Amino acid sequence: MELTDYFTSDDGAQRHHPQKMPDTHGTLQLHGRPVPSLLRADMGIEVTVPNATWTSGRLPASAVNFWISISVDESSGEDGAPAPMVQSLPVLRMTGSVPLLSELPGLSIDESQDDWDAWYGNDAPALIENHLTFGPWMDDHIAVCWEARVEDWCSASPEGPEPGRLRFEGALRLKHFTAHTADPDNADAWMCATWGKAMIASCQREEGPWCNPVPVFGGRWKAVWYRPTPALSPI
């Protein structure tokens, strides 16, 4: 089955998601041609809670950020291989509040506003004209189709039939939730209130060391990671 089949069937209706991941995590294309040696594709959710007294209720949208990272095998020897990333995916602009994971399938996000922070790679040109659509969940992966254009790419470039165009179609692994907080003892409470007790309980929890004080936290802070298990079923 092609990964495209996870988005639509012949009649245009969304297919029921499979219970297990396909053997491939997807395809990455640049200039209309496949990029070999795709290693992994991850999505993460970061939370920053500057107020140490936040102990109950769903997190405000301003505290939450979604990111995406796609990487290829750097040992393949390919010069200038892409490593597209989105450091800030504007999910919250589309939903208006922090969405449950079960609310992501079917959501489409475009660049109607200048609120994408997307890049061709580290220290590389920006990605513009971004458009991303979430498909169904498959265990701890979610199907996506992401298209973009590399900024300032020469249109006369001979690399392929679609110079400067980048497309990823495949499955992103939900790598982890990361909570940055000065009050780690209460992190579970507001993570559960936002994404559901069963969702957070299914994750492996890990606390990092205390970090030096910064103004946003009013003192020391630490990261708390919630890593989904492979058997995760968000919906």
Side-chain angles (χ1 to χ4, degrees):
M1 179 184 290
E2 296 294 330
L3 281 167
T4 305
D5 294 337
Y6 296 136
F7 289 94
T8 57
S9 60
D10 294 339
D11 60 2
Q14 183 171 300
R15 290 180 182 268
H16 179 69
H17 67 88
Q19 295 300 310
K20 298 295 181 183
M21 269 295 300
D23 292 337
T24 176
H25 285 186
T27 58
L28 179 65
Q29 292 186 346
L30 181 64
H31 317 306
R33 294 177 175 172
V35 176
S37 306
L38 178 65
L39 273 186
R40 59 183 179 271
D42 296 325
M43 179 178 74
I45 302 174
E46 292 194 4
V47 174
T48 300
V49 182
N51 186 353
T53 62
W54 185 276
T55 58
S56 63
R58 288 175 61 82
L59 289 164
S62 60
V64 180
N65 180 61
F66 288 71
W67 59 262
I68 291 172
S69 176
I70 297 172
S71 59
V72 298
D73 185 358
E74 295 182 359
S75 66
S76 64
E78 184 178 356
D79 191 26
M85 65 183 75
V86 185
Q87 295 177 328
S88 180
L89 181 65
V91 171
L92 305 175
R93 164 165 60 83
M94 305 301 298
T95 59
S97 61
V98 181
L100 298 173
L101 298 185
S102 59
E103 296 172 333
L104 292 180
L107 181 67
S108 291
I109 310 170
D110 60 18
E111 200 163 355
S112 61
Q113 299 181 27
D114 186 21
D115 53 1
W116 283 67
D117 187 2
W119 303 88
Y120 179 75
N122 190 32
D123 294 328
L127 293 175
I128 59 175
E129 300 175 12
N130 290 276
H131 184 89
L132 183 144
T133 299
F134 286 104
W137 282 98
M138 298 164 284
D139 293 334
D140 58 343
H141 291 65
I142 187 168
V144 299
C145 181
W146 174 25
E147 297 180 293
R149 183 169 66 84
V150 183
E151 189 175 37
D152 297 329
W153 199 278
C154 177
S155 61
S157 171
E159 285 87 349
E162 300 178 75
R165 299 301 303 183
L166 184 140
R167 176 186 175 91
F168 172 76
E169 188 170 357
L172 298 175
R173 175 183 62 132
L174 178 58
K175 187 175 183 179
H176 51 63
F177 299 84
T178 307
H180 305 279
T181 177
D183 187 17
D185 291 342
N186 281 314
D188 290 0
W190 35 259
M191 294 292 283
C192 290
T194 304
W195 284 288
K197 187 174 182 179
M199 169 73 242
I200 299 303
S202 70
C203 297
Q204 296 178 343
R205 187 183 190 277
E206 177 185 348
E207 283 192 23
W210 285 105
C211 300
N212 291 332
V214 292
V216 68
F217 296 112
R220 296 192 309 161
W221 63 280
K222 65 169 54 180
V224 183
W225 292 278
Y226 299 84
R227 307 184 192 279
T229 61
L232 169 70
S233 180
I235 53 178

